[in-house]
Amino acid sequence: MSAAEKDSLTTRLGDRVNPILIREVHQALNGRGFLVTAGLALLSIVVIALIVAAEDDISPREGEFFFTSTLMALVPILFFIVPFQAFLSMRAEVGGGTVEHLLMSRLTPGAIVRGKLIAATVQFVVYMAIFSPLIAMTFLLRGVDVPTIVVMLTLAFILALGSSAVAVACGALCRWKSFFKVIPFGIVLLGLGWVTGGSMVILEDIVRETRSALAEEDTLHWMSMMLTPVLVGVILCALIGASALAHPYANRSTAFRVFALLGLLISLGMALYNYDHQAARSLRYYLDLGAQLSTAITLTAVCLCLFPFFAATEAPRLTPRVANSVPRNPLLAFLVAPLLPGAGRGMVFTLLLTTLALTALYVLPNWWDGDPATAEAWRVTTATWLYVIIFAGVAGFVRNLLGPQPNRNWFARGVLPAMLFLGVILPLIFSAVGGRGPVRSWSVLYIFNPFYTLSRVVRWRMEGEIMVWLWGLAVLAVLLNVVPMVRGVLEVLAAAKARRGRAA
Amino acid sequence: MTSKPLLSVRSLSRSFGKVKAVSDVSFDVERGQIFGFIGPNGAGKTTTMRILATLDLPDAGDAWVGGHSVLEAPRLACQQLGFMADRFIPYANLPVAEFLDFMARAYGLRGRTRTRTIASVVDFCGLDEFLSRPTTGLSKGMAQRLHLAKTLLHDPGLLVLDEPAAGLDPRARVEFRDLLRELAAAGKGILISSHLLSELSESCDGVVVIEQGQLVVTGSIDDIARQVQAHNAILVRVQSGLEAAERFMLTQPHVREVLIRDGRLGFEFDADDDALAELLARLIGEGVRVSEFRHVEASLEEIFLRTTDGRLQ
């Protein structure tokens, strides 16, 4: 192509834009839904303006009312209509099989999900533009200050993004068997309805709380503590959506394992940030660093427990696609092995995650010049992570007995509810049959009931015996998986060697 | 030195539970060839095509598109392959021009290259007058043309078309067939499945016949016709003396299956061409006025019926 024929900068920039985003915005703006929604939005603007104009004496209170009313009109659009459209769009895409054709192009599942989410964001901006005269008016009426408006709109944006992420993920999950199509639809309808209705009910309180928080100059702290989990949730939903869209034989594990690692690091970061913030302000609800880290790491284990569990119950072998993407360098291949799909490698990942979590609890208080975790905090955190190893280990062992077929994964995943059911119900039955009456003390029969056992670890004084049992079981769970773990790593090294051979 | 085939399928197998959808299937398609992929319903055609399109994974075997394995390098294989599935689901609220622009962007075409490519496929598929029409408002024939245009956007070397002519009216079928011929003339390999065997026989260079997931026969139509026809089928047209000709033939050696249909005499002959020439001379000597005497090639329908049992799985 000659210089004269070179594309203009705008064309080249336009080429960089996600095609899904362009198509989604085209479709949304061409559709009747947009015309109807925009029409209703304009109508609501007129109605709100007329109500305020009808007041004899316009005071700052009218400005606050004006602002709250504007948000009330925006909430259903941003938290329900736009996300629901994103859900329907994704569902239509996966239902008709068009997504398969898109995946044959250069679009990746991640790009498709990102495109849908950014398209929802663009619609957010369009609706904000429609409502902007009204929002400007709220400031002119002197009822609400600019920081409050900015913070409220930022909150609305993040929550709208979160709602859209949940909707897109549910839409992508419709790709699975017909049974599942009803469940995502129900989740989206009820979830978005609940968020929208709840937001409208507590909107006034949120505006008030925001103003008082701004007055205390504590905005950044509480916003970051509130919004970080939402943003992490958005990323998780995007990963779930992309995973549902991806080919069953593509690598759908690494992103989740990296997410789990990052989730642990983020929770550690939030604990450190919160500790510094509280220490700097000498707040009365100040907690020492060990306690904060212990709480964060324990909660992370609870929130992330499904990740190791799913990792340990994947099909044991690498698919040809994944094997062909293993790094050729043997050291690099060895290092990334725990992040690659496969039950044995999933168990290695679980052990690494546990080690990282417990090491952080030991090391970080010393580095940060804070108080170390108390013995009780150590026990609770360790016990929680040991449960993660035990359940993942047992399920991984079962998975390896079931053979290499990928469709056996869900049989092994049934181990978790089965173990929980048996662990919770059976001891109660034994107690009842044995005539011992209500449960008064912990015994080894309750070892597979993590809820009861952890509560005993916190409160009771027989923690030494419980911990011995938990350590014993965890070691046993690891031993049951030693062979698959070694095989898993060796398989990655063999794939790397095969790639080196082909390249040579 | 022999060049690699455009599509090479080797020992492909795929099972769904106890059902063997595809079992040890192997065949090749070269550049510029149109290959018909035929078999009864449930024979494993769509499964094979989905594996070639990297949408499914075989239990055993592999296929190479332009030298790239669909198992190990699916992205590279996809760049060489255009897959037209048996149904086209259009997007709501999206005109034809914007749909093609979207798909071209999805295939990574940029700037003027994208504009030129879209103009080229629009012209080739005859979609010029429909660019502003919504994709949901096209007739079946035009929707198939749009589907083909989408498939051609990234200029794939191999086209895998699953029942592209299903539901088209006769004119649309002829137009579609002409488009395929042009594509083959441009050097593209085409693997096309269809139940319309008469359509395939007019455009295909070769066929792959598959039944119950197993390859029955593959090769050029002429070669297969010779394989399946154990005897020469001969057709005779006479100006007068049709009954006399029939009586004569019934008494001749090497002649079988004599029958009269549509005013013509047909029979099978299981000796060489010299004997056939003598037979013709004797027939004329009997006073029968022969206006046509020729071999009849087996049609694709006959090949299909003779090589398959119509068993379903």
Side-chain angles (χ1 to χ4, degrees), chain A residues 157-331:
Chain A
F157 171 73
I158 301 285
L159 284 177
L161 186 65
S163 303
S164 297
V166 171
V168 167
C170 287
L173 288 173
C174 291
R175 193 180 184 190
W176 292 356
K177 289 173 187 169
S178 53
F179 168 74
F180 290 104
K181 284 184 183 171
V182 185
I183 295 174
F185 191 84
I187 291 172
V188 167
L189 212 57
L190 293 176
L192 295 182
W194 181 73
V195 169
T196 307
S199 302
M200 290 174 83
V201 168
I202 60 169
L203 196 58
E204 277 191 70
D205 294 337
I206 295 176
V207 174
R208 205 175 307 122
E209 287 293 320
T210 305
R211 291 177 73 180
S212 62
L214 284 168
E216 287 178 16
E217 295 178 357
D218 210 17
T219 323
L220 186 66
H221 177 250
W222 75 257
M223 270 191 80
S224 59
M225 297 306 282
M226 200 167 83
L227 295 184
T228 306
V230 178
L231 287 174
V232 170
V234 168
I235 296 169
L236 179 60
C237 286
L239 283 180
I240 292 171
S243 169
L245 294 186
H247 196 285
Y249 309 110
N251 182 355
R252 301 197 287 186
S253 309
T254 303
F256 283 106
R257 294 187 192 179
V258 171
F259 176 86
L261 274 173
L262 289 179
L264 177 62
L265 296 179
I266 288 170
S267 82
L268 291 173
M270 283 177 73
L272 292 174
Y273 172 64
N274 201 40
Y275 169 74
D276 276 355
H277 177 80
Q278 291 181 353
R281 289 172 185 271
S282 306
L283 298 176
R284 56 187 155 75
Y285 47 87
Y286 172 86
L287 283 173
D288 63 64
L289 182 57
Q292 294 215 23
L293 283 172
S294 164
T295 308
I297 293 170
T298 307
L299 285 176
T300 307
V302 174
C303 294
L304 295 180
C305 63
L306 283 182
F307 287 78
F309 187 76
F310 270 66
T313 50
E314 289 173 341
R317 288 186 199 152
L318 292 174
T319 63
R321 288 185 190 202
V322 181
N324 206 39
S325 64
V326 169
R328 291 194 187 110
N329 183 302
L331 178 63

Side-chain angles (χ1 to χ4, degrees), chain B residues 259-312:
Chain B
L259 57 91
I260 293 174
R261 190 192 292 167
D262 301 332
R264 288 180 293 185
L265 180 72
F267 62 91
E268 286 187 2
F269 188 72
D270 59 0
D272 60 15
D273 284 354
D274 287 341
L276 189 62
E278 284 175 21
L279 178 71
L280 175 60
R282 286 202 299 275
L283 179 64
I284 294 169
E286 286 293 313
V288 177
R289 291 168 63 83
V290 178
S291 59
E292 187 182 0
F293 190 93
R294 66 176 171 89
H295 285 283
V296 180
E297 295 293 338
S299 68
L300 200 53
E301 281 93 342
E302 283 172 308
I303 291 174
F304 180 68
L305 290 173
R306 288 191 188 199
T307 53
T308 61
D309 300 330
R311 283 172 290 161
L312 303 175

Side-chain angles (χ1 to χ4, degrees), chain A residues 3-75:
Chain A
E5 282 186 312
K6 203 172 177 184
D7 294 317
S8 66
L9 180 66
T10 48
T11 308
R12 277 181 281 151
L13 286 175
D15 287 339
R16 299 266 170 200
V17 179
N18 188 320
I20 296 284
L21 164 65
I22 296 172
R23 198 208 66 208
E24 286 285 321
V25 173
H26 267 295
Q27 282 186 280
L29 301 186
N30 284 343
R32 276 187 217 147
F34 176 73
L35 287 176
V36 171
T37 312
L40 287 174
L42 289 170
L43 186 68
S44 68
I45 289 172
V46 173
V47 169
I48 295 167
L50 286 175
I51 291 171
V52 174
E55 293 290 326
D56 296 334
D57 180 27
I58 296 179
S59 63
R61 255 192 94 194
E62 302 306 324
E64 194 176 328
F65 166 77
F66 206 44
F67 183 64
T68 314
S69 305
T70 307
L71 290 180
M72 283 274 192
L74 262 173
V75 160

Side-chain angles (χ1 to χ4, degrees), chain A residues 109-132:
Chain A
I112 294 172
V113 171
R114 276 199 304 277
K116 300 259 180 201
L117 285 180
I118 301 170
T121 309
V122 169
Q123 288 187 64
F124 174 90
V125 173
V126 169
Y127 285 113
M128 288 309 299
I130 292 173
F131 277 87
S132 57

